[in-house]
Amino acid sequence: MKRTSTPLLGGIEAGGTKFVCAVGYPPDNILALEQFPTTTPLKTLGRTLDFFRSQPRLPDAIGIATFGPVDVRPTSDTFGFITSTPKLGWRNTDLAGFVACSLHVPTAFDTDVNGAAVGEHAWGAGQDIENLLYLSVGTGFGGGAIVGGVPVHGLVHPEMGHLILPRAEGDDFKGHCPFHGPCLEGMASGPAIKARWGIPAESLLPDHIAWEFEAHYLSLAVTNLILTLSPERVIMGGGVMQQEHLFPAIRSRVQSHLNGYVQAYAVLHDIDRYIVPPGLGNHAGVLGAMGLALSL
């Protein structure tokens, strides 16, 4: 379908487990989409280039939303690099520069969670607000924030997944983060759940004690971030949050932790529409990447 009034956009959701690439006119007219495992940078980025070069024409701009940590400072010599990631083979990879130079297409770059937040703000569960929080609980644990309609950056970028939180009663798990041990990611990410219980999250029954621990850490994180950022909505995605029974457990605990301190109707009386899943579902990441490209 040919269009002349809007740009053809490309998106790369660079996840720790898989890459998702897309071309089209988001959110409703995605012309091509492909996903493949995240292996080595050489193989994975090779498949990424193959995807875009196989299209009838290259996009007018590409957005990259990637796992990290990354360097998002445009004035930095390492802008566009994946930096101190736990995925050792990807450390110091010039992701944005490689894509831009190989395809000769303007390229936007941000974290995967900031990208998802951009997508949700543009087309998903945050369309009606200007300040939101997006948390992804999956292979890693990350958070992105939109404040005043734009993603939050600073010294580097928010690293909400590495908050240090009080342990749940009776929890002696050492944690699974190579940097911080029992931080939020080390206690509540998908790999942490598997390391703790010996089976992946999706194989655990809803009444398993694992979910009590999960609700403990997730609700504390959300509570702290509500108090810090005062988002108008909290959107929670990622593979672990496919366990829909987590949402009511998190909501009730957040209300209990806040204990009436935040006098906002959304928290006190409309929590089911305040802490919500992504409106874009499993496509929040790649659509968010395409949303980043709109800024170019």
Side-chain angles (χ1 to χ4, degrees):
M1 180 176 180
K2 185 177 180 180
R3 297 190 181 189
T4 57
S5 59
T6 56
L8 178 67
L9 300 177
I12 302 170
E13 179 190 1
T17 302
K18 68 179 186 299
F19 265 50
V20 183
C21 299
V23 169
Y25 304 93
D28 299 322
N29 189 14
I30 303 303
L31 304 177
L33 185 145
E34 182 179 341
Q35 70 177 46
F36 41 85
T38 304
T39 57
T40 66
L42 182 64
K43 291 181 179 178
T44 309
L45 295 180
R47 291 194 66 173
T48 300
L49 297 183
D50 289 345
F51 168 81
F52 287 106
R53 287 169 174 162
S54 70
Q55 305 307 312
R57 72 178 178 92
L58 289 173
D60 298 304
I62 293 174
I64 301 174
T66 179
F67 68 91
V70 296
D71 189 343
V72 295
R73 300 165 296 171
T75 59
S76 171
D77 290 340
T78 55
F79 169 72
F81 277 59
I82 296 174
T83 58
S84 55
T85 175
K87 292 183 72 66
L88 299 181
W90 284 82
R91 286 188 179 179
N92 303 313
T93 296
D94 183 8
L95 180 52
F98 179 83
V99 171
C101 292
S102 297
L103 298 177
H104 304 287
V105 171
T107 302
F109 182 79
D110 211 324
T111 64
D112 49 1
V113 281
N114 262 354
V118 166
E120 289 293 322
H121 180 246
W123 305 299
Q127 294 180 70
D128 58 329
I129 55 177
E130 288 298 292
N131 306 282
L132 67 86
L133 172 66
Y134 183 94
L135 295 176
S136 179
V137 192
T139 304
F141 195 127
I146 300 289
V147 175
V150 297
V152 171
H153 296 129
L155 180 65
V156 282
H157 54 78
E159 278 289 4
M160 303 174 198
H162 293 268
L163 296 172
I164 308 299
L165 300 170
R167 284 182 173 271
E169 185 176 351
D171 186 3
D172 59 0
F173 180 58
K174 67 178 182 179
H176 194 62
C177 173
F179 289 93
H180 313 117
C183 66
L184 181 57
E185 180 171 295
M187 301 300 276
S189 67
I193 293 172
K194 184 175 181 180
R196 182 200 291 263
W197 305 108
I199 55 176
E202 60 268 22
S203 299
L204 294 169
L205 295 175
D207 61 353
H208 196 287
I209 193 175
W211 303 117
E212 289 292 320
F213 288 137
E214 196 73 5
H216 169 86
Y217 294 110
L218 296 182
S219 64
L220 282 176
V222 170
T223 299
N224 286 332
L225 292 167
I226 289 171
L227 293 168
T228 304
L229 296 170
S230 197
E232 295 170 277
R233 190 159 298 132
V234 178
I235 303 169
M236 301 186 72
V240 173
M241 294 308 301
Q242 298 295 314
Q243 305 290 326
E244 294 183 359
H245 57 85
L246 274 174
F247 278 96
I250 292 167
R251 290 168 182 145
S252 63
R253 283 169 172 79
V254 167
Q255 287 179 315
S256 177
H257 295 323
L258 289 171
N259 197 29
Y261 183 75
V262 176
Q263 287 289 303
Y265 183 90
V267 173
L268 296 173
H269 305 294
D270 203 17
I271 194 83
D272 288 358
R273 292 197 294 177
Y274 180 65
I275 300 174
V276 299
L280 300 176
N282 292 332
H283 288 159
V286 72
L287 287 172
M290 299 173 87
L292 293 173
L294 281 174
S295 65
L296 297 174

